[in-house]
Amino acid sequence: MKMGLMSGTDERASSVDAVVNMVKKAEVAGFDSLWMANIFSLDAIMTLATAARETQRIEVGTAVTPTYPRHPSAIAQQAVTAASMANNRFVLGIGLSHKMVIEDMLGMSFDKPARHMKEYLDVLMPLLRGDVVNYDGDQYSVHNTQVQVAGVDDVPVVIAALG
C-alpha cells in the first residue's frame, strides 16, 4: 500500500519554501507522495517541481490543476518540464474545476464540460508522450505541435471528476 499527503492552500503552503520543506519532511517520514491543490495561491506545478529537485524518491502531483484557464500545449510544456526537474516523479492531476470558478470568477464559458475534457485530453496526452499533434475540434485547433524534453518518460495524468 502507498501512502500520500495532500497539501491545500492554507498557511502550511503559503510559500515555495514552506512547500519544499513539507515535501522534504514527507519524504523523510516515509510517505510515497505529496499532492498539492492549485487554486488561488502558488502554482502547484512550479512549486512541486521545485520541491522535487530537493528530494530523491517522493512522487509529487497536482490535485488538481484546472484545464479551462490553461491551453493543453502550455500545460504539457509545464508538466514535461516538471517531470524533468523531478526525475520522472511528477504526476499531472487535472480537472474541470467548478462552474462558479470558471464562469463567475474567470469569465469563461463552462458549456459542454465533457466535450472540453475530451478535446483537452486529445491534445494533451500525445504531447505528454512527445508526439506531434495535429488536431481540429470544436474548442481546440492544434497543428504541428510537439513537446519534447530529453530523459522524460510519458508523464502520468490523473483526472478529477465531480458528480
Side-chain angles (χ1 to χ4, degrees):
M1 175 171 51
K2 291 186 175 185
M3 298 289 289
L5 294 173
M6 173 66 191
S7 171
T9 56
D10 61 11
E11 66 279 354
R12 289 172 294 192
S14 62
S15 71
V16 173
D17 288 339
V19 175
V20 169
N21 288 332
M22 187 184 325
V23 175
K24 285 175 161 181
K25 288 177 182 178
E27 183 174 71
V28 169
F31 285 95
D32 297 297
S33 61
L34 187 133
W35 299 81
M36 182 178 173
N38 191 99
I39 187 162
F40 309 125
S41 186
L42 296 170
D43 178 82
I45 296 172
M46 294 287 299
T47 305
L48 292 172
T50 301
R53 296 209 29 105
E54 301 290 325
T55 59
Q56 299 301 312
R57 63 154 194 84
I58 193 168
E59 183 177 73
V60 294
T62 59
V64 300
T65 300
T67 56
Y68 277 95
R70 297 183 192 212
H71 192 279
S73 64
I75 206 168
Q77 187 176 25
Q78 272 192 293
V80 170
T81 302
S84 176
M85 292 175 69
N87 293 317
N88 293 306
R89 293 178 287 121
F90 175 77
V91 178
L92 177 63
I94 60 172
L96 297 167
S97 188
H98 307 270
K99 184 177 182 178
M100 178 183 75
V101 172
I102 301 306
E103 286 193 349
D104 299 342
M105 297 174 87
L106 299 179
M108 302 173 80
S109 172
F110 198 73
D111 187 42
K112 301 180 182 175
R115 161 137 346 251
H116 165 84
M117 184 57 78
K118 182 203 177 300
E119 288 193 19
Y120 202 90
L121 293 170
D122 286 346
V123 174
L124 176 66
M125 298 308 289
L127 289 174
L128 293 177
R129 291 190 301 268
D131 297 342
V132 175
V133 174
N134 286 292
Y135 182 84
D136 286 301
D138 292 334
Q139 297 184 14
Y140 294 102
S141 182
V142 178
H143 298 282
N144 299 315
T145 302
Q146 184 177 32
V147 177
Q148 287 185 315
V149 173
V152 173
D153 299 334
D154 190 5
V155 178
V157 175
V158 293
I159 302 166
L162 298 170

